[in-house]
C-alpha cells in the first residue's frame, strides 16, 4: 500500500517518489519540477543520501535543486533578520552609473538608492568577485581534465569517503561521480554567478542583496569542491580518502617550510598565484629528467600547499601575501606567475633582482609577450640573456620546461640576499610618511631612524609583523628601500626559518568522522573550529590559536595560507613545532590541514557531514535543513585570519549561510559588512520546539554570525562563545561554558558578563567553576540560589520572573534533547506526532 | 566632515560638552598611556565610562579599574540598534587605524552619536580628531587633555 503524504495535493497520477510505504508527488517538493524530474525522484529515494521514510512523514519535504538565491529566501531571511547587516562603507559617494557622482551620506542618489543599499550592492559584488575567482580556478582545471580524460571519466572519491561532493549535492541534488557531473555542477555555479552579478547593479533591497551575497558564498564553496575533486582525481594530489586509519596521524608526508630549507647554491623555481597545472608539469619534468636533487621546486600561498600535496620535495615559502620577502631577497631564479593573490607589480619587483618571470595565465599576463608558440630554446634564451624580463606561455608543459631550464642557467653564480646596508637609511628625516602608509600600523620610521644610527634591531622586529606590501617605500620621498632594509636586518632570521609542515590532505576521512561523532554529537568535544585565511602580519598568531584550541579539546581544521604560518609556532610543552606536536587527525589533540583555499570546501564538507552522520539529514538538494541544523545544534565556527580578500569575503558568506559563525581578525573591519546579533533585543532570540511547534524564547546562541575582533585572544574567546547552540546537550553546554569562561578569565581577567544568558540548569555548570558561578548568579543577576549546595532554586528569566527549574526549562531555551528548528516547515507534522502515519520501515526508526 | 583638533583646549571642550560619554580603550594601549586615559576618565567624573576593548580589561583591572570587557563591534552595534540611554560621545584611544577607520565609518553613517578620535593620526570619519603627531607628542597631548578636563 502506498501512503500519500498530506501535503500532496491530488492523487498519484503525476510522478511520485516513494520511500518504503510513503510517497510524495515530486511536483510538490520543488518549485518547478520541469527538466529535473529524475533528479528530484532520486534526491528523495536515494538510499544513502535521500530521505529516511520516517523523516519524510514527519516534516514538509521541500528541496532546492539548482536553486537561485531567491529560492532560499526563507533561510536567508531568517538569518538576516536575526543578524542584520552592519556596514562600514569605504565611501559614501557612489559613481556606479552615469547619473553620479552622488553623495549618499545625507540623501538618496539620483537612481534612488540609499547608502545601505549601496553597501549591500558592494557586499554582493565583493562576494561575486571571490566566487568568480574560485569558479575560474575550478573551470581551468576542469577544462584541462575534460580535454585529457573526457566527460565519462569516473571520479574516485576513495574508500574512506562515503559522501562525495557534499557542498555540491546540497545544491544540485546530484553527487559528482564523473567529470561530466562536475561540469554540470560548475555550469550551475557559473550561471548563478552571472545572475548575481546582474542583480548587483539592479536589486534595491538590502536583505535581497545580502541573500544573494550568501548565494555567491555558497557557489564559492561549491566551486572549491569541484576544484579539489579534479586536483585529487585527475592530477594526483594526495588525499586521505584511501588511507587506513592507522596511517592518518602521520599523513600526508611532511614538507619543509622556510627559506632555511633551501640550498641557495641550487636553482630555485618559485610558483606564485594559481599556476597549478604548470607546477604539476614542472614536477613531472624534474622527476623525468632526474633533476630532483638539483632543481628546487618552491611555492608560496596556494602553490606552496598544492605542490606540497603532489611532491614531497616541495619547499613551502610561506603565504602568498609575503611573496615580496622572498623576491627581494633574490631567492628564486625564476618565478612562475598565475592568477589570484599576486601583487600587481610583481614584474617590476622581479626585474630588481633579475629574476626571470614566466606568466602562465591570460588573466594575469602583465603586458608580456605571448610566446606560447615560440620554440622552447628561443624563449629560454631570451630570458637567460635578459633580452626579455618575462614571457607569457599558455602551454603548461612548455612553461614548466622553460622555467626549469632558465632557473638552471640563471642560478649559476647568482648571489642571494644582495641587500642594501644600513647606510641606505641615512637620508631618513623622520617625516613619518611610512608610518601613516603602513596598513599594519607598524612604527616604521622609528626603525629606520634607529638604522640610521647603526642599530638594526628595530628593523628586525618590523620583519616579524610586516606584510611586505612595500607601501612604506612607495610613499618615502627620500626613496629609502625600507623593505630591503628590513630584510637585511633579518637575514639571520630568514636563514633560520626551517620548519616541517603537512601540506594538506583534502577531506577528513569517514573513519575520523565516525570515531569522534559520538563525542561531538553529545558535546564532550566543545566544538569544531576552522582557522583559514591569508594570515596577517605575525605568523605566530595563527599557530598560537591552533595550539590553544587543540589544548582546549576542540577539533581544529585549517586551510589556506595560514596553514603555512602555523608551521613556525613552537609548542613549548611538547618541545616541537606544531605540525610535529599534534597528530594530523580530525580528533581531540590533533589538527588537520586540508590544503589551499579551494580546500575551504573540505571544511564546509566536514560541517555538513556531521549533520548527516549524527542526524541522518538528507543531503540531496537539502541545503536549508542542514543550515538550520548547524545553527541550532552543531558547534562549528570559523576564524578568518588576515587581510580581507574577495575570496575570503565569499568564503565567510558561504560559511555564515551554512549556520557556522565567522570571526574576522585582525583586519576584519576591512570586510565592511558584518552580521551582528543584538543580544538585548529578546524578540530576536526564538526557535520552534520542533515537536510541538511552540515558538520559544531561547538563549542568544550564537550571538553573532560574522563579527570582527582585534586580537588573537579576542578571536579565541569569541569563537568559544559562537559555538553555543540552542540545542546543546548538557555536556556540550558544560564544556562550552568552561572554554568560554576559561579564555575570558585568562585573557581579560574578568568573567563573561553574558554567561547567565546561557545557564539553563545547574547540572550544566562546569564543576570546577560551579560554586563561583552559582554565587555570581545569586549576587549579581538576582537568581535564587543555594550557594552552599551549588543549586539553582529559582532562575531569573529575562523578563524578570523568578522561575523554578522546571518552569524555566519550559519558558526559556530548548529543553535538553528536544528537537528544534528555525523553519516552520521543519516542525514535526501533527499527524506524525499523533502517530497517525503509516509505520516506517524498521531501518528508519532512528528518526 | 572631520573637525581637526589642533590644540588641547579643543579636545577638552568636546569632552566637557558631552552629556554622557564612553571612552573606548583600544588594544594598542598599555603602560603610562593607559594610566593617562584612566586619569582622563576620572577627571570627567560620572558622565564618563570606560570600555576595555581588545585585551585591555586585564591591565585596567590590575590598575584597580573595573572596566568591563567590551567587544568593539558590539559597542558599535548597540549604538545602532539599542534604545535607551546611549552615550552622545564615543571617544577612541589606542586603536589600530585599520580597525578604527572602519568603526568610525559605521558610526558616522549610521549612528547618531558624535565621535572623538584621540589618536596619533587624523581620522576623516570622526567628528573630531587629533592629527598626525609623534608618539611623544601624543603622550604629552593626552596628558594635557587629562589635566585639562580636571581644571
Ligand atoms: S617615509 Fe622615508 S624619510 Fe620619512 S620617516 Fe619613513 S623612511 Fe624616513
Ligand atoms: S612593507 Fe611592512 S612596514 Fe612597509 S608598509 Fe607594508 S607592512 Fe608596513
Amino acid at each position: 500500500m502506498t501512503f500519500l503524504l498530506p501535503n500532496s495535493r491530488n492523487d498519484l497520477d503525476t510522478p511520485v517518489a516513494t520511500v518504503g510505504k510513503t510517497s510524495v508527488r515530486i511536483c510538490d517538493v520543488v518549485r518547478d519540477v520541469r527538466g529535473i524530474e529524475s533528479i528530484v525522484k532520486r534526491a528523495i529515494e536515494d538510499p544513502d543520501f535521500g530521505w529516511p521514510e520516517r523523516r519524510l512523514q514527519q516534516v514538509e519535504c521541500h528541496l532546492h535543486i539548482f536553486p537561485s538565491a531567491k529560492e532560499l529566501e526563507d533561510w536567508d531571511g531568517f538569518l538576516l533578520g536575526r543578524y542584520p547587516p552592519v556596514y562600514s562603507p569605504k565611501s559614501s559617494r557612489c559613481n556606479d552609473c552615469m547619473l553620479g557622482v552622488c553623495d549618499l551620506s545625507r540623501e538618496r542618489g539620483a537612481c534612488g538608492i540609499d547608502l545601505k543599499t549601496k553597501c549591500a550592492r558592494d557586499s554582493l559584488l565583493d562576494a561575486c568577485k571571490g566566487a568568480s575567482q574560485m569558479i575560474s580556478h575550478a573551470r581551468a582545471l576542469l577544462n584541462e581534465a575534460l580535454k585529457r580524460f573526457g566527460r565519462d571519466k569516473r571520479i574516485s572519491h576513495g574508500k574512506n569517503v562515503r559522501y562525495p561532493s557534499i557542498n555540491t549535492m546540497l545544491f544540485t541534488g546530484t553527487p559528482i561521480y564523473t567529470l561530466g557531473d562536475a561540469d554540470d555542477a560548475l555550469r550551475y555555479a557559473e550561471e548563478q554567478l552571472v545572475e548575481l552579478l546582474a542583480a548587483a547593479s539592479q536589486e534595491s533591497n538590502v536583505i535581497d542583496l545580502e541573500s544573494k551575497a550568501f548565494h555567491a558564498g555558497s557557489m564559492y564553496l561549491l566551486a572549491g569542491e569541484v576544484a579539489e575533486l579534479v586536483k585529487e582525481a585527475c592530477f594526483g594530489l594526495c588525499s586521505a580518502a584511501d588511507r587506513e586509519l592507522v596511517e592518518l596521524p602521520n599523513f600526508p608526508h611532511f614538507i619543509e617550510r622556510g627559506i632555511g630549507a633551501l640550498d641557495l647554491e641550487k636553482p630555485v623555481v618559485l610558483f606564485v598565484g594559481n599556476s597549478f597545472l604548470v607546477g604539476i608539469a614542472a614536477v613531472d619534468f624534474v622527476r623525468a629528467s632526474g633533476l630532483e636533487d638539483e632543481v628546487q621546486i618552491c611555492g608560496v600561498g596556494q602553490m606552496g600547499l598544492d605542490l606540497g600535496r603532489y611532491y614531497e620535495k616541495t619547499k613551502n615559502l610561506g603565504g602568498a601575501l609575503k611573496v615580496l620577502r622572498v623576491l627581494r631577497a633574490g631567492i628564486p631564479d625564476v618565478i612562475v606567475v598565475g592568477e589570484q593573490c599576486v601583487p600587481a607589480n610583481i614584474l617590476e619587483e622581479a626585474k630588481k633582482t633579475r629574476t626571470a618571470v614566466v606568466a602562465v595565465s591570460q588573466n594575469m599576463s602583465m603586458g608580456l609577450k605571448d610566446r606560447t608558440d615560440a620554440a622552447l630554446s628561443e624563449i629560454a634564451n631570451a630570458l637567460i640573456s635578459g633580452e626579455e624580463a618575462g614571457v607569457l606561455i599558455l602551454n603548461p608543459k612548455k612553461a614548466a620546461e622553460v622555467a626549469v631550464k632558465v632557473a638552471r642557467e640563471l642560478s649559476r653564480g647568482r648571489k642571494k640576499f644582495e641587500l642594501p646596508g644600513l647606510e641606505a637609511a641615512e637620508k631618513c628625516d623622520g617625516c613619518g610618511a611610512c608610518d601613516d602608509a603602513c596598513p599594519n600600523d607598524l612604527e616604521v620610521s622609528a626603525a629606520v631612524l634607529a638604522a640610521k644610527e647603526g642599530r638594526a634591531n628595530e628593523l628586525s622586529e618590523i620583519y616579524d609583523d610586516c606584510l611586505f606590501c612595500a607601501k612604506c617605500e612607495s610613499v618615502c620621498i627620500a626613496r629609502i628601500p625600507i623593505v630591503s632594509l628590513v630584510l637585511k636586518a633579518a637575514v639571520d632570521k630568514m636563514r633560520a626559518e626551517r620548519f616541517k609542515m603537512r601540506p594538506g590532505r583534502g577531506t577528513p576521512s569517514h573513519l575520523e568522522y565516525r570515531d569522534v561523532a559520538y563525542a561531538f554529537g553529545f558535546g564532550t568535544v566543545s566544538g569544531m573550529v576552522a582557522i583559514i585565511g591569508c594570515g596577517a602580519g605575525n605568523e605566530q598568531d595563527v599557530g598560537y590559536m591552533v595550539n590553544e584550541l587543540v589544548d582546549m579539546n576542540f577539533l581544529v581544521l585549517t586551510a589556506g595560507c595560514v596553514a603555512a604560518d602555523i608551521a613556525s609556532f613552537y609548542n613549548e610543552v611538547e618541545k616541537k613545532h606544531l605540525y610535529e606536536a599534534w597528530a594530523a587527525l580530525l580528533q581531540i589533540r590533533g589538527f588537520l590541514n586540508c590544503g589551499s583555499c579551494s580546500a575551504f570546501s573540505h571544511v564546509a564538507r566536514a560541517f555538513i557531514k556531521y549533520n548527516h552522520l549524527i542526524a541522518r539529514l538528507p543531503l540531496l538538494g537539502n541545503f536549508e535543513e542542514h543550515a538550520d541544523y548547524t545553527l541550532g545544534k552543531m558547534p562549528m565556527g570559523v576564524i578568518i585570519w588576515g587581510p580581507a580578500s574577495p575570496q575570503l569575503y565569499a568564503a565567510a558568506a558561504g560559511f555564515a549561510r551554512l549556520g557556522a559563525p565567522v570571526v574576522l581578525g585582525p583586519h576584519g573591519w576591512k570586510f565592511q559588512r558584518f552580521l551582528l546579533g543584538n543580544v538585548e533585543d529578546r524578540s530576536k532570540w526564538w526557535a520552534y520546539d520542533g515537536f510541538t511547534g511552540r515558538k520559544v524564547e531561547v538563549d542568544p546562541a550564537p550571538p553573532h554570525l560574522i563579527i570582527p575582533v582585534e586580537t588573537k585572544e579576542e578571536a579565541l574567546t569569541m569563537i568559544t562563545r559562537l559555538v553555543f547552540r540552542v540545542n546543546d546537550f548538557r555536556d556540550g553546554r558544560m564544556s562550552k561554558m568552561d572554554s568560554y569562561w576559561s579564555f575570558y578569565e585568562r585573557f581579560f581577567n574578568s568573567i563573561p558578563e553574558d554567561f547567565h544568558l546561557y545557564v539553563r540548569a545547574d547540572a550544566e555548570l562546569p564543576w570546577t567553576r560551579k560554586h563561583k558561578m552559582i554565587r555570581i548568579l545569586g549576587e549579581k543577576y538576582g537568581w535564587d540560589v543555594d550557594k552552599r549546595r551549588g543549586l539553582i532554586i529559582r532562575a531569573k528569566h529575562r523578563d524578570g520572573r523568578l522561575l523554578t527549574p522546571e518552569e524555566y526549562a519550559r519558558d526559556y531555551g530548548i529543553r535538553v534533547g528536544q528537537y528544534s528548528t528555525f523553519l516552520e516547515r521543519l516542525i514535526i507534522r501533527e499527524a506524525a506526532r499523533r502517530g497517525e502515519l503509516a509505520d516506517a520501515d524498521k531501518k528508519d526508526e532512528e528518526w | 566632515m572631520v573637525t581637526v583638533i589642533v590644540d588641547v583646549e579643543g579636545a577638552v571642550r568636546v569632552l566637557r560638552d558631552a552629556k554622557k560619554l564612553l571612552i573606548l580603550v583600544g588594544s594598542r594601549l598599555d603602560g603610562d598611556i593607559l594610566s593617562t586615559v584612566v586619569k582622563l576618565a576620572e577627571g570627567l567624573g560620572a558622565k564618563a565610562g570606560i570600555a576595555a576593548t581588545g585585551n585591555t580589561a586585564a591591565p585596567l583591572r590590575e590598575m584597580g579599574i573595573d572596566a568591563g570587557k567590551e567587544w568593539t563591534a558590539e559597542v558599535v552595534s548597540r549604538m545602532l540598534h539599542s534604545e535607551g540611554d546611549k552615550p552622545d560621545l564615543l571617544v577612541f584611544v589606542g586603536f589600530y587605524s585599520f580597525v578604527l577607520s572602519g568603526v568610525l565609518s559605521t558610526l558616522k553613517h549610521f549612528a547618531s552619536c558624535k565621535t572623538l578620535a584621540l589618536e596619533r593620526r587624523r581620522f576623516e570619519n570622526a567628528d573630531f580628531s587629533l592629527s598626525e603627531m609623534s608618539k611623544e607628542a601624543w603622550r604629552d597631548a593626552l596628558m594635557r587633555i587629562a589635566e585639562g578636563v580636571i581644571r
Side-chain angles (χ1 to χ4, degrees):
Chain A
M1 190 191 87
T2 301
F3 182 87
L4 189 62
L5 278 174
N7 71 328
S8 298
R9 282 192 292 262
N10 292 315
D11 48 36
L12 295 176
D13 288 348
T14 48
V16 293
T18 302
V19 183
K21 298 172 208 149
T22 306
S23 297
V24 285
R25 294 187 347 153
I26 60 170
C27 61
D28 288 336
V29 300
V30 289
R31 179 178 284 179
D32 184 356
V33 78
R34 289 171 302 169
I36 54 170
E37 292 87 348
S38 59
I39 298 177
V40 176
K41 191 168 160 55
R42 193 174 75 176
I44 294 169
E45 293 178 349
D46 190 289
D48 295 322
F49 313 129
W51 286 64
E53 185 179 7
R54 180 69 75 204
R55 188 65 176 159
L56 196 59
Q57 293 180 351
Q58 284 176 339
V59 298
E60 185 186 322
C61 166
H62 193 86
L63 303 181
H64 298 102
I65 291 176
F66 298 118
S68 65
K70 200 68 191 159
E71 285 180 63
L72 294 162
E73 73 176 358
D74 277 359
W75 177 248
D76 293 348
F78 163 72
L79 281 184
L80 293 163
R82 201 190 223 205
Y83 307 102
V86 169
Y87 295 107
S88 155
K90 267 181 271 195
S91 159
S92 57
R93 293 160 81 80
C94 181
N95 195 16
D96 287 354
C97 77
M98 64 181 186
L99 302 174
V101 181
C102 299
D103 184 353
L104 306 178
S105 58
R106 269 173 236 102
E107 56 218 25
R108 288 177 183 273
C111 68
I113 62 165
D114 59 13
L115 184 56
K116 264 197 182 155
T117 313
K118 161 76 177 143
C119 291
R121 285 186 178 180
D122 287 346
S123 170
L124 173 54
L125 271 177
D126 280 347
C128 284
K129 279 185 213 163
S132 73
Q133 288 174 8
M134 189 53 77
I135 290 172
S136 153
H137 174 46
R139 176 50 72 192
L141 293 172
L142 183 56
N143 280 354
E144 181 66 24
L146 285 165
K147 280 182 199 161
R148 289 192 199 180
F149 309 110
R151 280 182 68 85
D152 294 335
K153 153 112 180 148
R154 299 281 304 170
I155 290 184
S156 161
H157 294 280
K159 66 180 183 210
N160 291 334
V161 177
R162 297 275 173 79
Y163 315 156
S165 60
I166 294 180
N167 291 280
T168 310
M169 294 200 250
L170 287 184
F171 288 91
T172 64
T174 310
I176 292 176
Y177 289 121
T178 65
L179 282 183
D181 296 336
D183 191 31
D184 293 343
L186 198 59
R187 259 182 226 292
Y188 158 66
E190 287 160 346
E191 282 170 19
Q192 291 305 302
L193 181 65
V194 172
E195 291 296 322
L196 295 172
L197 277 169
S201 55
Q202 303 178 68
E203 182 59 77
S204 59
N205 178 278
V206 169
I207 298 301
D208 280 334
L209 282 158
E210 290 296 353
S211 162
K212 290 177 168 75
F214 275 160
H215 201 50
S218 299
M219 294 305 103
Y220 174 87
L221 293 172
L222 185 158
E225 182 165 84
V226 171
E228 283 289 303
L229 284 177
V230 175
K231 285 180 197 176
E232 290 168 8
C234 300
F235 298 110
L237 255 59
C238 71
S239 153
D242 266 324
R243 303 286 163 159
E244 300 302 330
L245 189 54
V246 288
E247 294 177 70
L248 294 180
N250 292 310
F251 182 82
H253 50 264
F254 281 121
I255 61 168
E256 286 190 302
R257 206 227 105 170
I259 289 170
L262 294 173
D263 180 341
L264 296 177
E265 304 299 316
K266 291 182 178 174
V268 174
V269 183
L270 176 67
F271 289 83
V272 185
N274 168 25
S275 41
F276 179 85
L277 292 169
V278 190
I280 298 293
V283 171
D284 291 346
F285 178 66
V286 164
R287 279 179 173 149
S289 315
L291 295 172
E292 286 174 83
D293 290 332
E294 181 193 334
V295 177
Q296 300 174 97
I297 301 288
C298 308
V300 292
Q302 172 190 333
M303 291 307 291
L305 297 161
D306 280 349
L307 280 176
R309 287 174 68 184
Y310 187 67
Y311 181 48
E312 298 188 18
K313 292 190 171 177
T314 300
K315 309 291 182 198
N316 183 307
L317 299 186
L321 198 64
K322 297 186 176 180
V323 63
L324 189 58
R325 163 174 68 174
V326 185
L327 211 46
R328 273 287 172 92
I331 303 298
D333 302 298
V334 174
I335 51 171
V336 179
V337 181
E339 59 182 301
Q340 298 164 22
C341 310
V342 177
N345 63 345
I346 196 163
L347 181 61
E348 293 312 307
E349 283 293 340
K351 282 178 186 168
K352 288 181 188 164
T353 46
R354 228 184 90 41
T355 305
V357 175
V358 178
V360 295
S361 163
Q362 46 197 358
N363 293 344
M364 183 64 187
S365 49
M366 299 176 282
L368 293 169
K369 257 193 222 154
D370 183 350
R371 305 297 302 266
T372 309
D373 299 323
L376 197 149
S377 56
E378 190 188 318
I379 310 171
N381 288 339
L383 288 170
I384 292 163
S385 66
E387 186 189 323
E388 294 190 50
V391 290
L392 174 69
I393 307 174
L394 297 173
N395 174 328
K397 197 159 172 279
K398 187 183 272 184
E401 289 183 30
V402 166
V404 172
K405 191 170 165 45
V406 172
R408 293 181 76 195
E409 287 300 322
L410 287 184
S411 71
R412 291 203 187 109
R414 193 177 137 93
K415 296 257 182 312
K416 315 275 171 170
F417 293 113
E418 283 215 311
L419 295 160
L422 295 188
E423 61 283 357
E426 249 158 41
K427 281 184 280 165
C428 176
D429 64 1
C431 70
C434 46
D435 299 334
D436 296 339
C438 178
N440 228 14
D441 274 2
L442 302 179
E443 299 191 357
V444 192
S445 63
V448 178
L449 286 170
K452 190 176 173 179
E453 289 164 14
R455 297 196 315 274
N457 217 17
E458 285 86 339
L459 280 174
S460 169
E461 280 168 20
I462 294 274
Y463 175 86
D464 298 333
D465 292 307
C466 184
L467 298 170
F468 298 95
C469 63
K471 267 181 88 179
C472 48
E473 271 186 20
S474 65
V475 297
C476 176
I477 40 171
R479 303 181 74 81
I480 294 169
I482 302 171
V483 172
S484 301
L485 279 174
V486 169
L487 292 173
K488 177 77 177 179
V491 165
D492 291 344
K493 276 188 190 171
M494 289 170 85
R495 285 185 188 275
E497 284 170 1
R498 183 175 194 173
F499 318 107
K500 283 184 179 170
M501 69 171 288
R502 299 193 193 275
R505 51 109 136 158
T507 181
S509 79
H510 192 67
L511 303 167
E512 287 162 283
Y513 289 123
R514 278 273 173 211
D515 212 34
V516 82
Y518 189 82
F520 192 58
F522 284 92
T524 40
V525 171
S526 291
M528 180 169 11
V529 174
I531 306 186
I532 63 172
C534 310
N538 197 318
E539 292 180 355
Q540 297 289 301
D541 290 352
V542 193
Y544 173 85
M545 288 190 288
V546 169
N547 204 44
E548 290 290 334
L549 288 169
V550 172
D551 239 0
M552 198 64 95
N553 286 345
F554 277 79
L555 304 180
V556 184
L557 298 113
T558 185
C561 290
V562 290
D565 287 1
I566 290 167
S568 64
F569 187 85
Y570 190 71
N571 180 316
E572 295 289 349
V573 179
E574 303 288 326
K575 301 269 177 256
K576 285 176 182 161
H577 284 96
L578 227 49
Y579 280 97
E580 296 170 274
W582 304 116
L585 287 172
L586 187 66
Q587 295 277 319
I588 294 168
R589 315 298 278 178
F591 90 95
L592 188 64
N593 175 19
C594 297
S596 66
C597 31
S598 48
F600 297 168
S601 61
H602 291 303
V603 172
R605 184 171 172 157
F607 291 175
I608 303 161
K609 167 122 182 177
Y610 268 115
N611 296 343
H612 188 262
L613 204 57
I614 290 166
R616 183 62 177 91
L617 296 188
L619 280 162
L620 302 169
N622 197 28
F623 175 82
E624 278 190 346
E625 195 178 0
H626 278 269
D628 177 65
Y629 196 75
T630 309
L631 189 78
K633 172 86 182 145
M634 302 304 280
M636 298 152 171
V638 178
I639 297 175
I640 294 185
W641 205 251
S645 72
Q647 287 210 43
L648 291 174
Y649 196 90
F655 283 116
R657 191 194 215 188
L658 186 55
V662 179
V663 175
L664 305 169
H667 285 259
W669 277 94
K670 292 183 182 161
F671 267 70
Q672 297 168 72
R673 188 270 277 119
F674 316 103
L675 302 176
L676 304 176
N678 179 358
V679 172
E680 289 166 28
D681 182 355
R682 286 173 49 212
S683 71
K684 300 276 185 187
W685 305 101
W686 57 266
Y688 293 112
D689 177 321
F691 193 69
T692 63
R694 198 166 65 98
K695 202 170 179 180
V696 191
E697 178 170 356
V698 294
D699 21 2
H704 306 292
L705 202 53
I706 300 185
I707 181 167
V709 298
E710 288 148 65
T711 65
K712 57 186 187 301
E713 291 81 8
E714 279 199 327
L716 285 168
T717 312
M718 182 55 80
I719 203 73
T720 58
R721 187 175 171 218
L722 297 188
V723 294
F724 280 91
R725 293 294 186 270
V726 293
N727 215 330
D728 282 337
F729 283 129
R730 186 198 63 176
D731 291 5
R733 181 57 63 94
M734 192 188 292
S735 68
K736 288 169 199 182
M737 190 72 93
D738 195 44
S739 313
Y740 179 40
W741 187 291
S742 99
F743 277 149
Y744 212 102
E745 267 192 332
R746 200 168 119 210
F747 299 141
F748 313 128
N749 193 12
S750 327
I751 56 149
E753 294 281 334
D754 60 347
F755 90 94
H756 62 293
L757 299 176
Y758 301 99
V759 176
R760 302 179 301 186
D762 47 37
E764 296 181 345
L765 300 179
W767 302 315
T768 50
R769 308 175 196 282
K770 189 166 187 172
H771 279 82
K772 186 172 181 183
M773 286 178 159
I774 291 276
R775 181 171 51 75
I776 294 169
L777 284 171
E779 290 171 4
K780 186 166 178 183
Y781 297 105
W783 294 40
D784 185 2
V785 295
D786 181 337
K787 286 188 233 174
R788 204 173 46 81
R789 290 191 300 153
L791 297 176
I792 293 170
I793 310 298
R794 287 186 304 160
K796 190 159 184 186
H797 192 280
R798 294 187 76 184
D799 64 11
R801 286 178 297 154
L802 277 170
L803 302 174
T804 64
E806 185 55 28
E807 289 166 339
Y808 194 60
R810 182 197 63 208
D811 284 4
Y812 186 73
I814 296 296
R815 214 174 257 278
V816 174
Q818 184 81 321
Y819 163 66
S820 72
T821 176
F822 303 109
L823 292 171
E824 208 170 344
R825 73 175 172 85
L826 295 177
I827 296 169
I828 309 280
R829 289 171 204 275
E830 185 136 7
R833 267 185 267 153
R834 289 201 302 262
E836 291 170 2
L837 302 182
D839 282 345
D841 282 353
K842 276 273 181 299
K843 68 183 169 63
D844 287 327
E845 283 298 314
E846 60 201 85
W847 265 103
Chain B
M1 205 155 79
V2 62
T3 301
V4 177
I5 296 173
V6 290
D7 57 6
V8 165
E9 283 312 311
V12 170
R13 250 193 319 275
V14 173
L15 290 162
R16 278 198 182 138
D17 286 351
K19 291 190 183 65
K20 178 173 179 181
L21 53 88
L22 184 64
I23 301 173
L24 285 97
V25 180
S27 52
R28 298 187 90 185
L29 271 203
D30 53 21
D32 57 338
I33 301 190
L34 197 53
S35 315
T36 307
V37 173
V38 170
K39 191 170 162 191
L40 169 68
E42 286 169 351
L44 287 162
K47 72 173 187 174
I50 293 184
T53 77
N55 302 352
T56 56
L60 278 167
R61 283 178 91 85
E62 276 159 28
M63 292 163 64
I65 306 297
D66 191 10
K69 156 75 189 143
E70 291 272 13
W71 308 85
T72 305
E74 288 189 349
V75 175
V76 170
S77 172
R78 280 207 296 277
M79 298 308 291
L80 305 184
H81 300 299
S82 298
E83 301 302 316
D85 188 21
K86 290 189 282 194
D88 58 335
L89 179 71
L90 292 191
V91 182
F92 295 89
V93 56
F95 279 79
Y96 283 100
S97 57
F98 49 81
V99 172
L100 191 49
S101 309
V103 170
L104 290 170
S105 168
T106 305
L107 292 168
K108 171 182 169 174
H109 294 110
F110 304 112
S112 56
C113 63
K114 297 277 183 218
T115 54
L116 165 63
L118 293 180
E119 302 285 358
R120 286 174 53 195
R121 59 174 71 174
R122 180 209 308 225
F123 285 87
E124 292 297 334
N125 283 328
D127 292 294
F128 309 98
S129 171
L130 299 181
S131 197
E132 279 69 22
M133 64 182 91
S134 70
K135 200 166 181 180
E136 288 65 39
W138 180 54
R139 183 179 284 131
D140 182 55
L142 289 177
M143 181 57 83
R144 288 193 292 131
I145 292 169
E147 285 162 359
V149 294
I150 300 168
R151 263 185 276 119

